[in-house]
C-alpha cells in the first residue's frame, strides 16, 4: 500500500546472518540465510508438517505436506528473503520478508519445541540484517494488539505503529534511507504476499515471551 506509514528515522544496523548463539535452553542455534539448497527446504517442510495447529492463524502456515510445499514455493524463491534457525540439522524456526510494492512484509514462525527460548528475537534481527544487506528499505508487519510481549519486542527493535484501527496493529520499520538504493521491486509478488500474510498466530508464538524477562536478548545488539 502506497499510503502505509513508516518511521522517518532509519533503524540501527542489524547483524546479517550467519550468526550463532546459545538459547535459554542451552541449545546451540545458528541463524543462516536460505540460499536455495534442497536440504534446507526439506527441513522446513518437516518443521511445518509438525507445526502445532494452535500456532496457526487463518491457515498460515498451511497443514498437510502438499500445501506446505506449495506455500514454500511461493515464499522461498524470487525476491523474497528468508532465514532459518538451525539446531544441528533441524529447522527450529523460519522468518521471511515478502515483497509488497516498495516494501516487504515480515512473517516469523518458531516450532513449538523451540519457543520461549529467545530464538524469535534472533530470527527477526537476523532477517532484518539479511534484508538490510540486500538493500531492503521498508518492512511492515501486523500483530494482534493483545499480544503485548510481541508488540513490545517490535518496538524495541524499532518498529512503529502505523495503523491501530482494528484488532490488529500494523507496524512499520525503515531499514534504509530512500536514496540509499533499494532491493528490486516487483509487481508480481501478490501470490507470495498473500501466502505469507496474516501470520500473527505463529508470529506471536515466536515472540510471546521474548520480553518477559528484562535480561532478554531482545534488548541490544
Amino acid at each position: 500500500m502506497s499510503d502505509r506509514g513508516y518511521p522517518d528515522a532509519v533503524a540501527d544496523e542489524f547483524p546479517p546472518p550467519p550468526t550463532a548463539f546459545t538459547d535459554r535452553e542451552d541449545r546451540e542455534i545458528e541463524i543462516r540465510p536460505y540460499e536455495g539448497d534442497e536440504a534446507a527446504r526439506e527441513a522446513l517442510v518437516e518443521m511445518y508438517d509438525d507445526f502445532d495447529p494452535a500456532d496457526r492463524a487463518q491457515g498460515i502456515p498451511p497443514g498437510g505436506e502438499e500445501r506446505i510445499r506449495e506455500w514454500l514455493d511461493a515464499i522461498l524463491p524470487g525476491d523474497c528473503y528468508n532465514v532459518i534457525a538451525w539446531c544441528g540439522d533441524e529447522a527450529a524456526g523460519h522468518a521471511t520478508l515478502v515483497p509488497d510494492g516498495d516494501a516487504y512484509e515480515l512473517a516469523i514462525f518458531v516450532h513449538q519445541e523451540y519457543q520461549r527460548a529467545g530464538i524469535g528475537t534472533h530470527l527477526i534481527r537476523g532477517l532484518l540484517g539479511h534484508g538490510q544487506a540486500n538493500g531492503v528499505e521498508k518492512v511492515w508487519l501486523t500483530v494482534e494488539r493483545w499480544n503485548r510481549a510481541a508488540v513490545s519486542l517490535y518496538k524495541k527493535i524499532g518498529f512503529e505503529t502505523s495503523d491501530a484501527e482494528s484488532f490488529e496493529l500494523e507496524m512499520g520499520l525503515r531499514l534504509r534511507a530512500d536514496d540509499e538504493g533499494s532491493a528490486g521491486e516487483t509487481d508480481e509478488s501478490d501470490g507470495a504476499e498473500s501466502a505469507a500474510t496474516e501470520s500473527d498466530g505463529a508470529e506471536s508464538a515466536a515472540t510471546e515471551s521474548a520480553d518477559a524477562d528484562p535480561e532478554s536478548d531482545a534488548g541490544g545488539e
Side-chain angles (χ1 to χ4, degrees), residues 1 61 76 99-100 113 124 130 139 143 147 151-152 178 186 197 205:
M1 295 174 58
L76 288 181
D100 175 26
E113 292 184 6
I124 295 171
H130 188 39
V139 176
V143 58
N147 192 344
V151 173
S152 176
D178 290 335
T186 177
T197 195

Side-chain angles (χ1 to χ4, degrees), residues 19-47:
T19 59
F21 65 99
T22 301
D23 76 0
R24 296 186 191 124
E25 299 297 327
D26 291 324
R27 296 172 294 206
E28 295 299 317
I29 306 294
E30 186 175 8
I31 307 295
R32 301 199 301 264
Y34 173 76
E35 297 178 334
D37 54 296
E38 187 64 21
R41 184 177 183 275
E42 290 305 308
L44 285 178
V45 171
E46 184 175 349
M47 183 191 86

Side-chain angles (χ1 to χ4, degrees), residues 157-173:
I157 287 175
F159 282 89
E160 293 184 6
T161 301
S162 59
D163 184 355
E165 294 183 358
S166 69
F167 72 94
E168 291 181 335
L169 300 179
E170 185 175 289
M171 305 183 77
L173 179 74

